[in-house]
Amino acid sequence: MNAVDGEPAWVLHARPWRDTSLLCELFSHGHGRVGVLARGVRGGRGGRRALLQPFRPLLVGWRGRGELPTLGAVEPAGAPLALAGEALYAGFYLNELLCRLLPRQMPQPPSLFLAYRESLGRLARGTVEPALRGFEKHLLEQLGYAYRFDRTADDDAPVRPGGRYRLEAGVGVLPCLPGEPGCSGEVFLALAREEWRPEWQGEHRRILQAALEPLLGGRPLRSRAVYGALRRLAGDRRRGRAG
């Protein structure tokens, strides 16, 4: 990789690098996840430093060989998305997933870039759980884990709405043995259709996060813990008002 100009991208994460620079993780349309050094941008209030924020569509360029090229021109490609509260932490969760699961400088299908952009839009509109679950499912598919949630993995039988099933990560949907915890077939069929009903949110969350867990290598996501705590707090407040 020598020179790239005008590449659509989003900032996933940025942290200080030495005295005046930032190390930025980008998710780009044509190059996947890219780490770049933004030299000399710290301390300035305007220019590139102001643009290098998550949830803002950008056009960027970079120069150099190796794993950390130098950031060049940065231009806005649209207005920043106004994420706040639960949606903001959900957005950080998506960013951390991409940082953890995508290798640097490996191009990804354009559909993943589109799915990320659409998921951020759904977060901005307040549809948090459907945005997260839809993106998790799409990311698993792009990573080579396209589970068939409407068929069993052991004998390719159709999942029955009234049956009880569980997901075995890396294998697929399996019927539950007597006394074994699981979910109704209706929940798995809804997941296959990407039908994100509120009453199935908890089950869909547990199924997809169980599928992602082995890929994360047993290392917890910091954003997931914060988002979970925020969600529980919101639930406690709703129950308090109802009481």
Side-chain angles (χ1 to χ4, degrees):
M1 185 185 302
N2 293 319
V4 174
D5 292 301
E7 172 74 1
W10 300 82
V11 174
L12 298 176
H13 181 69
R15 62 180 176 87
W17 178 263
R18 296 183 177 173
D19 293 332
T20 62
S21 303
L22 288 175
L23 195 162
C24 299
E25 296 290 345
L26 307 178
F27 182 38
S28 71
H29 181 271
H31 300 268
R33 175 181 158 227
V34 179
V36 296
L37 287 178
R39 298 186 183 277
V41 299
R42 289 172 60 199
R45 295 184 179 179
R48 295 189 304 168
R49 179 66 182 93
L51 294 174
L52 293 173
Q53 304 292 332
F55 318 127
R56 179 166 199 161
L58 300 172
L59 296 175
V60 303
W62 58 81
R63 300 285 186 277
R65 299 178 181 273
E67 194 173 350
L68 285 175
T70 299
L71 183 70
V74 181
E75 300 176 14
L81 295 173
L83 303 186
E86 188 177 357
L88 177 63
Y89 288 102
F92 286 135
Y93 167 69
L94 296 186
N95 286 3
E96 191 175 4
L97 270 182
L98 291 176
C99 284
R100 289 278 297 274
L101 297 180
L102 297 186
R104 279 180 177 164
Q105 298 182 4
M106 180 176 290
Q108 301 296 324
S111 61
L112 184 59
F113 190 85
L114 177 62
Y116 176 76
R117 185 179 68 190
E118 290 180 344
S119 297
L120 292 184
R122 296 173 90 177
L123 291 179
R125 295 190 295 272
T127 54
V128 175
E129 287 291 320
L132 295 183
R133 305 292 82 83
F135 187 76
E136 287 170 339
K137 184 171 181 286
H138 193 90
L139 180 59
L140 281 164
E141 291 168 354
Q142 296 304 322
L143 293 173
Y145 295 86
Y147 290 99
R148 295 192 64 186
F149 294 107
D150 57 350
R151 312 285 299 189
T152 58
D154 54 351
D155 57 4
D156 197 35
V159 168
R160 296 178 293 106
R164 297 287 296 177
Y165 300 89
R166 62 183 178 87
L167 180 79
E168 184 170 326
V171 177
V173 179
L174 296 172
C176 288
L177 298 174
E180 193 173 27
C183 300
S184 73
E186 189 177 23
V187 169
F188 281 96
L189 292 171
L191 180 51
R193 298 190 300 266
E194 299 191 10
E195 185 179 333
W196 313 115
R197 290 190 188 179
E199 60 266 32
W200 295 328
Q201 284 181 2
E203 287 90 344
H204 286 163
R205 184 187 312 117
R206 286 188 287 272
I207 291 167
L208 289 169
Q209 292 184 355
L212 286 165
E213 207 62 40
L215 306 181
L216 295 169
R219 294 165 51 207
L221 293 168
R222 288 176 292 180
S223 56
R224 181 188 289 175
V226 174
Y227 173 64
L230 188 68
R231 192 177 60 245
R232 288 190 295 272
L233 178 61
D236 291 343
R237 287 175 175 171
R238 285 193 295 268
R239 286 189 291 272
R241 287 195 296 269

